[in-house]
Amino acid sequence: MEEGLFITLEGIDGVGKSTQAQLLVEYFTEKGCDVVHTFEPGGTKLGQSIRRMLLDPENQQLAPVTEILLYAADRAQHVAEVIQPALAQGKVVVCERYIDSSVAYQGYGLGLSVDMIAAVNKLATDGLEPNLTICLDAEPETALARVGGDRIEKRALSYYERVRAGFLSIAAQNPQRVIVVSAEGLETEVAQRVQRSVVGRLAQ
Ligand code: TYD
C-alpha cells in the first residue's frame, strides 16, 4: 500500500491557519501532488452536525468530558472517512487542527487530563499521527484581534494564553514532528516561513 503525507496546521484562533493551509495546498498541487485539504471540527457530513453542537452558543453548559468526546467523535469519523483513505491512496493531506488542538484547548485550556485526552484520541484515530505539524504562533491579542474581537475579555485572554502555552509545550515535547512558525507579520511572509519549514523538514 502506498503511503501519503499527513500534515496538520495548529494554533490558537485567528493565527491564519486556513489561509496558510490553502497556500500549502497550492504549493503541493503545483509540485504535481494529489492534495486533500480538510479541517476539524466538521470535515465530514456527520462532523458538520457535531461542529454545530460544539459551537452552538446555546450549548454553553456542555460538560468538559462531553466536549472532549464530541471532538474525538468528529475526529474518528474524519480519520475513517477522509484522512486514512486519502493517505492509503498516497495523497498529501493538509488538515487544519487535529489531536494537538484537543490537548491544547481542552487539556491546557480547560484543565482536563492530557493523558485521558491522549487515550481517547488514540482510540478515535487508531493511533494515526501526522508526519509533520506546523504550529502557527502569535500573541493572543494579535490573533484574536483578527477574528473580530476588538474588546477581548480578560478571562478569555488568559484562557488563550494557556492554550498557546499548551501548543508551545506540545511542540517542545515533539520536536521531530512539530515546527513552530511565527504567524506575526504579512500573510506572504508567514507563507514563506511555512513553506521553508515544510520543505526543510521533508528534505531531512
Ligand atoms: P476552527 O474551525 O479551527 O476555528 P478558527 O478558524 O476560529 O480557528 O475551530 C473551532 C473551534 O474549535 C476553535 O475555537 C478551536 C476549537 N477546538 C477545540 O477546542 N478542540 C479541538 O480538538 C478542535 C479540533 C477544535
Side-chain angles (χ1 to χ4, degrees):
M1 189 165 72
E2 267 185 281
E3 281 238 331
L5 179 66
F6 183 22
I7 300 180
T8 57
L9 278 106
E10 297 280 5
I12 59 171
D13 301 54
V15 286
K17 269 183 318 306
S18 302
T19 309
Q20 294 306 326
Q22 185 54 45
L23 293 171
L24 208 49
V25 167
E26 284 165 21
Y27 168 80
F28 279 109
T29 307
E30 276 164 26
K31 292 258 165 244
C33 301
D34 211 341
V35 193
V36 173
H37 181 183
T38 188
F39 62 95
E40 295 184 356
T44 61
K45 189 159 183 286
L46 180 88
Q48 280 295 328
S49 309
I50 298 175
R51 181 185 173 93
R52 276 193 295 278
M53 288 185 223
L54 280 162
L55 304 184
D56 183 347
E58 287 198 7
N59 289 342
Q60 294 277 341
Q61 299 309 316
L62 215 58
V65 69
T66 311
E67 193 172 315
I68 219 40
L69 291 171
L70 285 174
Y71 280 115
D74 167 70
R75 187 162 297 131
Q77 191 62 27
H78 192 211
V79 167
E81 203 179 306
V82 178
I83 302 176
Q84 195 58 270
L87 293 175
Q89 289 168 26
K91 294 182 183 172
V92 176
V93 175
V94 175
C95 181
E96 299 173 36
R97 300 197 182 283
Y98 193 60
I99 301 173
D100 296 334
S101 279
S102 288
V103 173
Y105 282 86
Q106 281 69 49
Y108 287 82
L110 291 182
L112 291 187
S113 152
V114 167
D115 288 345
M116 180 273 283
I117 296 171
V120 166
N121 277 281
K122 192 157 188 197
L123 172 74
T125 63
D126 199 20
L128 178 70
E129 288 214 5
N131 300 100
L132 175 63
T133 297
I134 299 293
C135 179
L136 294 167
D137 181 58
E139 298 279 346
E141 287 95 331
T142 320
L144 294 174
R146 278 194 211 154
V147 281
D150 22 282
R151 271 164 45 86
I152 300 142
E153 266 184 75
K154 266 217 170 103
R155 226 183 76 223
L157 203 55
S158 73
Y159 170 70
Y160 282 106
E161 266 153 14
R162 287 199 302 280
V163 175
R164 180 195 189 194
F167 278 122
L168 294 178
S169 126
I170 293 166
Q173 287 164 44
N174 298 278
Q176 72 297 345
R177 171 174 67 83
V178 186
I179 305 179
V180 178
V181 172
S182 167
E184 314 252 359
L186 297 175
E187 246 166 46
T188 50
E189 293 167 353
V190 180
Q192 275 180 4
R193 283 178 217 137
V194 170
Q195 214 183 89
R196 242 183 281 131
S197 304
V198 171
V199 173
R201 189 55 65 98
L202 295 182
Q204 279 174 11

